[in-house]
Amino acid sequence: MKARTTAAALLAVAALSLTACSGSGPAGHSAGPKTLPRKTPAAPTGLTAKQAAAMLAEATGVTTLGNPTDNTTSCSGKAAGKEASPSDCLQLITTDTVSIYEYSSPGIAAHRVEFMATEDWRRVGRFALAWNAREQRLVDDSHRADLVKAFQKVDAVYDLDVASARKS
């Protein structure tokens, strides 16, 4: 199992490296702007909610967590075409088993989990796991605890608290 997790981590790092090295314009033209861009909060690098869902499925011995769907527009003003908020999620993957919210920092994730205290939300690094949907409410407490433990093991491979620039 550790070999598969390590292999998955190496593949993710390689994919991110290839993305970072791709060019974006004709030869001889400067890719940088002539003026400094407006400051925006840096998004984390590394693991995304989509990748986390796949790794969490593998770590718990299943092919998929069931119907992974990108619902980022429901937790991000920017993704929904509205004004962005610092507390927006970066990505939301909803499955039949759990919803995985990706935030830009552990502090924002902790605040969101605290805000949602009336429902079952649990934080791991800069991610929040939630069981809000009808199918997700059928997941028993011991399986929820297993999912959190498995996600914490992913945290051992990826530093889920890291917050440095990532292009979305």
Side-chain angles (χ1 to χ4, degrees):
M1 178 67 82
K2 185 159 178 87
R4 282 193 285 175
T5 304
T6 302
L10 291 173
L11 284 172
V13 170
L16 288 170
S17 297
L18 290 173
T19 303
C21 294
S22 63
S24 63
H29 286 81
S30 172
K34 302 254 187 241
T35 60
L36 292 175
R38 291 170 41 164
K39 228 176 185 170
T40 57
T45 185
L47 193 66
T48 66
K50 184 175 183 178
Q51 293 167 329
M55 291 181 81
L56 190 53
E58 181 182 337
T60 56
V62 295
T63 306
T64 178
L65 297 173
N67 259 344
T69 306
D70 189 329
N71 287 316
T72 306
T73 56
S74 68
C75 68
S76 170
K78 180 179 178 182
K82 301 176 183 174
E83 187 172 332
S85 166
S87 63
D88 281 355
C89 75
L90 298 177
Q91 189 174 52
L92 165 58
I93 300 299
T94 304
T95 72
D96 293 340
T97 309
V98 64
S99 291
I100 302 172
Y101 292 78
E102 176 190 0
Y103 293 99
S104 60
S105 75
I108 292 172
H111 176 71
R112 190 64 180 162
V113 168
E114 183 180 321
F115 180 76
M116 299 303 290
T118 59
E119 298 180 17
D120 193 359
W121 282 56
R122 303 178 196 185
R123 184 182 73 84
V124 178
R126 58 186 179 78
F127 292 84
L129 303 179
W131 292 267
N132 303 326
R134 185 177 346 148
E135 306 85 18
Q136 295 169 347
R137 289 187 189 115
L138 300 175
V139 175
D140 64 50
D141 286 337
S142 66
H143 189 54
R144 292 178 188 198
D146 290 343
L147 289 166
V148 171
K149 285 179 188 173
F151 204 72
Q152 289 168 337
K153 288 180 181 176
V154 170
D155 186 19
V157 175
Y158 288 91
D159 185 3
L160 302 182
D161 290 337
V162 171
S164 58
R166 173 187 72 159
K167 292 184 179 180
S168 300

